[in-house]
Amino acid sequence: MEKTGVWEKIHDRLRMKTREKEGRNPNPSAAIIDSQPVKTTEQGGPRGYDAGKKTKGRKRHILVDTIGLILSVLVHEANIQDRDGAKMLLSKVVGRFPRLQLIWADGGYAGKLVGWVREKCNYLLKIVKRSPDTKGFKVLPRRWVVERTFGWLGKYRRLSKDYERQIDNSEAIVLIAMIRTMLTRLAIN
């Protein structure tokens, strides 16, 4: 069913309804991007080693709106750099959100990607950096939203690891978890 795009269609419709319920335009004008490494099981399928996080498995790249709802998800091998994963994810998004203009990201996305995003996608990629004199944990403006979304996804046992052989199944599981989160939000009140 994930190959036909059914989960994505359901997810996108619910996202628009949830945004409207929150008093927002159904199409976002700003977003936040980040990735999360996740271990895989012995099931097989594509995987790699993320030397930075010392994780063998895959990465979940997500683009979320300013209230934390997923705009797009991409799962890929963990050995792919965040900048390269961002290119793949943002290439999927171009043209889908007519109002989207600004994307916030952490320092891992700095460098040539900023120019690439401006040239190829026509978005402004703004890097949110920690102050060099900051010690310990610090909540960064706008960046906390995507981290909260990863927290929401972490509540689902099926997402504690990547149990899927096929990457498109992994992406579908993320969308299904987000569908459930949005249905809960819509049912309240």
Side-chain angles (χ1 to χ4, degrees), residues 97-185:
F97 303 100
R99 294 184 64 238
L100 188 59
Q101 298 175 1
L102 173 64
I103 299 173
W104 287 286
D106 67 19
Y109 297 91
K112 294 180 183 177
L113 180 64
V114 175
W116 183 91
V117 170
R118 171 55 74 198
E119 182 183 320
K120 301 288 184 188
C121 304
N122 201 28
Y123 303 139
L124 172 64
L125 182 65
K126 188 172 181 181
I127 306 300
V128 179
K129 293 185 180 180
R130 279 177 56 130
S131 173
D133 47 316
T134 302
K135 303 236 190 283
F137 176 76
K138 172 89 169 89
V139 174
L140 298 176
R142 301 294 181 185
R143 293 267 314 114
W144 67 270
V145 176
V146 72
E147 299 300 340
R148 180 184 63 187
T149 303
F150 281 129
W152 291 342
L153 296 175
K155 293 179 181 179
Y156 296 92
R157 186 169 27 126
R158 185 83 179 259
L159 294 174
S160 64
K161 288 186 178 182
D162 195 327
Y163 294 97
E164 309 303 320
R165 281 192 186 148
Q166 297 177 331
I167 285 180
D168 54 349
N169 289 350
S170 297
E171 293 171 356
I173 297 296
V174 171
L175 293 177
I176 291 167
M178 199 64 200
I179 286 168
R180 185 169 191 280
T181 301
M182 289 186 291
L183 285 171
T184 302
R185 283 176 85 161

